[in-house]
Amino acid sequence: MEVVGTLLLHGNFWAYLGVAIAVALGGAGSAKGVGIVGEAASGVLSEDPDKFGQCLVLQALPGTQGIYGFLIGFIIMVNSGMMSGDVDLSLGAGLAVAAASLPIGIVGLISGIAQGRVSAAGIRIIAAKPEQVSKAMVSAALVETYAILAFLISMLLVFNIRM
């Protein structure tokens, strides 16, 4: 029990947790969102394989949240010295890193799933009216706005932590 208490008082632990939060939650949202769209696309493609390109674009959109989470995790690792193995963060810096990872982690999880649902609805548009694919893409891209904002906030927070 004493080891856990000591671990919780070390900044490195919180920084590593921050990386895990950004990457795992953003990736989970993307995986779920891409899966939702993939299920919808499979039904359309079984009837009309020529719509693959249109379906693929909509399926790729929810994957960006995982990319944003990965980028924040990578930025944290580079800025903190994790990449070189030379990391010795204060508790305050480690907690700040963990807090900075929360916007992209939480918003990436939620928006990846939401974008998957909107993109799946867009797949239904493609099935009925393939010429309306641009409307489906715009609707899905609107959800992306919030993932981008969360990514920017996490990035600005990380860049302003003294490590």
Side-chain angles (χ1 to χ4, degrees):
M1 191 65 169
E2 187 175 320
V3 173
V4 172
T6 303
L7 186 64
L8 294 177
L9 294 175
H10 202 281
N12 290 5
F13 168 80
W14 293 102
Y16 287 120
L17 183 63
V19 171
I21 288 168
V23 174
L25 294 181
S30 281
K32 180 67 174 170
V34 169
I36 290 168
V37 185
E39 290 174 11
S42 294
V44 171
L45 295 174
S46 69
E47 297 292 323
D48 188 357
D50 292 336
K51 294 179 179 169
F52 176 74
Q54 294 174 316
C55 290
L56 181 63
V57 170
L58 284 172
Q59 188 173 8
L61 285 173
T64 56
Q65 286 80 349
I67 294 169
Y68 300 150
F70 172 80
L71 288 173
I72 292 300
F74 184 76
I75 291 168
I76 291 169
M77 292 178 74
V78 169
N79 284 2
S80 69
M82 286 181 202
M83 298 294 280
S84 65
D86 185 30
V87 57
D88 187 25
L89 299 177
S90 68
L91 178 59
L95 288 169
V97 168
S101 71
L102 290 174
I104 193 55
I106 295 169
V107 175
L109 174 66
I110 295 168
S111 69
I113 295 167
Q115 193 171 37
R117 289 184 179 137
V118 174
S119 293
I123 295 291
R124 292 189 286 280
I125 291 172
I126 291 170
K129 298 180 181 184
E131 69 279 1
Q132 301 295 323
V133 67
S134 61
K135 292 177 183 172
M137 289 171 51
V138 168
S139 294
L142 288 173
V143 181
E144 184 82 15
T145 304
Y146 300 97
I148 292 169
L149 294 174
F151 169 72
L152 289 173
I153 288 298
S154 284
M155 185 173 61
L156 290 170
L157 288 170
V158 169
F159 284 145
N160 282 291
I161 298 170
R162 295 181 202 256
M163 294 190 233

